[in-house]
Amino acid sequence: MAGNFWQSSHHQQWLLDKQDLIRDRQHDLSKLTEEEYQKIFNFFASIIQVLGEQLKLRQQVIATATVYFKRFYARNSLKCIDPLLLAPTCVFLASKVEEFGVISNSRLITTCQTVIKNKFSYAYGQQEFPYRTNHILECEFYLLENLDCCLIVYQPYRPLLLFVQDIGQDDQLSTYAWRVVNDSLRTDVSLLYPPYQIAIGALHIACVMLGKENLKPWFAELNVDMDKIQEIVRAIINLYEMWKNYDEKKEIQALLGKMPKPSPAPQR
């Protein structure tokens, strides 16, 4: 593991260019609009989040799993692997990398079955979780290959807490900004910007939402590219704007039906 972010594979290999990201999505964007594509990724981020919570994983593990998921599809079409298989595979791998401990195969599959049945029946109806342990293990090899074994993900949580400490401990601010960082996982910012910039963007949004005008001088003294921070803020605000008019429970079934799919379906 690299001792710091600047020497890490995260910085050297996995901060992508926005134009490259758009180009690599062209196959999927020929079948889906950009907004539909983002809604589908929101949905699977929710599956990863709920799976992680049911398995009692730390937020760091859930965040790493979500970044793995986004990195895979940054380089591959949705038709390469069913996202419903890749989501638990990312959770399985992230729990090992983040030294949470290995989730037993049977527990992972049972939790997936329960979560899909109880929490996401509005998307899958009566359909059961169709995958078994052998599918997860096979998918894990494919995921590792596509991530180029770059498994250490630097998250914005640590820099966020350091920034809040520098500002002067403010529990309300840190709680709100932490939630914004969680929300940022549902955008592309983790693929495009260093974690410390995402942390500053989250703090910026939290300060505006909480009306903390007195922190303007703190932001002014930062030696950072504020244009990049504004891009991050805009991406997260766009997510919030989308949520205002989006009823996932009504729309997601049609979107999943429209999504490019792998073939053939797995054998039980």
Side-chain angles (χ1 to χ4, degrees), residues 141-152:
F141 275 107
Y142 198 46
L143 175 61
L144 282 165
E145 184 184 356
N146 276 268
L147 294 176
D148 200 18
C149 292
C150 301
L151 303 179
I152 303 299

Side-chain angles (χ1 to χ4, degrees), residues 15-258:
L15 287 186
L16 309 179
D17 180 79
K18 191 161 190 176
Q19 295 311 312
D20 291 343
L21 196 59
I22 292 166
R23 188 194 63 228
D24 290 341
R25 286 177 178 168
Q26 282 315 300
H27 180 276
D28 291 342
L29 293 179
S30 66
K31 295 181 169 56
L32 300 162
T33 66
E34 174 68 33
E35 187 171 290
E36 288 171 337
Y37 185 86
Q38 294 301 341
K39 285 175 178 177
I40 286 169
F41 272 80
N42 254 279
F43 173 71
F44 286 105
S46 296
I47 288 183
I48 290 172
Q49 185 72 36
V50 174
L51 255 181
E53 288 169 0
Q54 294 293 313
L55 290 163
K56 307 282 192 290
L57 304 181
R58 288 181 291 112
Q59 182 58 33
Q60 176 89 12
V61 183
I62 295 169
T64 295
T66 309
V67 173
Y68 287 169
F69 187 86
K70 293 192 78 70
R71 284 182 180 181
F72 180 87
Y73 289 114
R75 299 266 168 90
N76 296 277
S77 165
L78 286 159
K79 69 173 186 165
C80 291
I81 290 182
D82 182 356
L84 186 57
L85 171 59
L86 191 71
T89 306
C90 290
V91 171
F92 184 61
L93 180 59
S95 71
K96 291 187 279 186
V97 172
E98 293 289 346
E99 298 179 356
F100 183 84
V102 182
I103 304 164
S104 78
N105 298 334
S106 58
R107 184 167 168 240
L108 180 64
I109 297 297
T110 306
T111 306
C112 287
Q113 290 169 337
T114 307
V115 162
I116 295 304
K117 187 177 176 183
N118 296 343
K119 307 278 187 182
F120 295 98
S121 57
Y122 63 86
Y124 291 104
Q126 296 305 305
Q127 180 193 331
E128 289 191 5
F129 182 73
Y131 299 104
R132 297 295 174 263
T133 301
N134 59 311
H135 299 120
I136 300 270
L137 296 176
E138 190 180 335
C139 185
E140 185 183 30
F141 275 107
Y142 198 46
L143 175 61
L144 282 165
E145 184 184 356
N146 276 268
L147 294 176
D148 200 18
C149 292
C150 301
L151 303 179
I152 303 299
V153 178
Y154 286 77
Q155 300 289 356
Y157 301 109
R158 185 178 291 175
L160 174 66
L161 295 177
L162 290 172
F163 288 139
V164 172
Q165 208 175 351
D166 186 53
I167 288 167
Q169 198 60 42
D170 182 329
D171 290 343
Q172 187 189 32
L173 181 63
S174 67
T175 302
Y176 208 100
W178 185 283
R179 284 185 196 147
V180 177
V181 169
N182 290 347
D183 293 339
S184 77
L185 291 164
R186 294 163 185 266
T187 72
D188 289 332
V189 297
S190 62
L191 299 173
L192 301 170
Y193 304 97
Y196 79 94
Q197 291 183 347
I198 298 171
I200 294 169
L203 268 174
H204 191 280
I205 291 173
C207 286
V208 171
M209 298 289 196
L210 296 170
K212 292 189 179 286
E213 294 284 323
N214 59 319
L215 291 179
K216 278 184 180 176
W218 184 85
F219 283 100
E221 286 174 14
L222 291 174
N223 185 21
V224 292
D225 184 343
M226 287 311 286
D227 287 342
K228 296 275 189 232
I229 306 301
Q230 287 303 324
E231 287 170 16
I232 292 165
V233 168
R234 206 172 302 122
I236 298 169
I237 295 296
N238 286 346
L239 174 75
Y240 294 156
E241 290 295 325
M242 184 184 83
W243 282 352
K244 281 182 189 173
N245 307 308
Y246 174 43
D247 186 343
E248 185 176 85
K249 294 191 173 181
K250 286 183 181 171
E251 293 181 41
I252 195 63
Q253 251 186 339
L255 290 175
L256 292 175
K258 197 176 172 186

